[in-house]
Amino acid sequence: VAALSKVLRRMPARDRDTLLLFAWAGLSYEEIAQATNTIVGTVRSRLNRAKRTLREATTTGAIAPELEVPDGRVNSVAQST
């Protein structure tokens, strides 16, 4: 959890907020766009960058690949394409 927190803190706030709205709040791309006053394309770009950052952290060992959280969504986000 500490390693995940460190990676999240180093992410640009816009990317981190988008990831958290998606992964923990369960918002759709459209809902995130509305909540952040952006367009869906921007949400997709930010989420893609955040996922890539998490994927890189798992492959470099900064975060253990078997990372689990209560609902498992961060683990699936980190490993999705």
Side-chain angles (χ1 to χ4, degrees):
V1 173
L4 174 61
S5 293
K6 187 176 182 179
V7 172
L8 289 172
R9 279 192 311 272
R10 290 183 174 175
M11 241 183 238
R14 297 177 305 193
D15 295 350
R16 180 182 56 247
D17 293 346
T18 300
L19 176 67
L20 295 176
L21 288 170
F22 177 77
W24 273 292
L27 298 183
S28 69
Y29 288 10
E30 292 80 11
E31 291 168 326
I32 296 169
Q34 185 176 18
T36 59
N37 197 31
T38 61
I39 60 174
V40 172
T42 300
V43 171
R44 290 181 192 278
S45 296
R46 290 177 181 173
L47 192 53
N48 184 50
R49 276 193 303 272
K51 288 178 180 181
R52 188 173 354 131
T53 299
L54 289 176
R55 244 189 329 273
E56 290 169 1
T58 61
T59 60
T60 62
I63 300 176
E66 65 276 0
L67 173 70
E68 293 292 335
V69 293
D71 66 3
R73 291 187 73 179
V74 169
N75 191 31
S76 64
V77 167
Q79 294 178 0
S80 68
T81 57

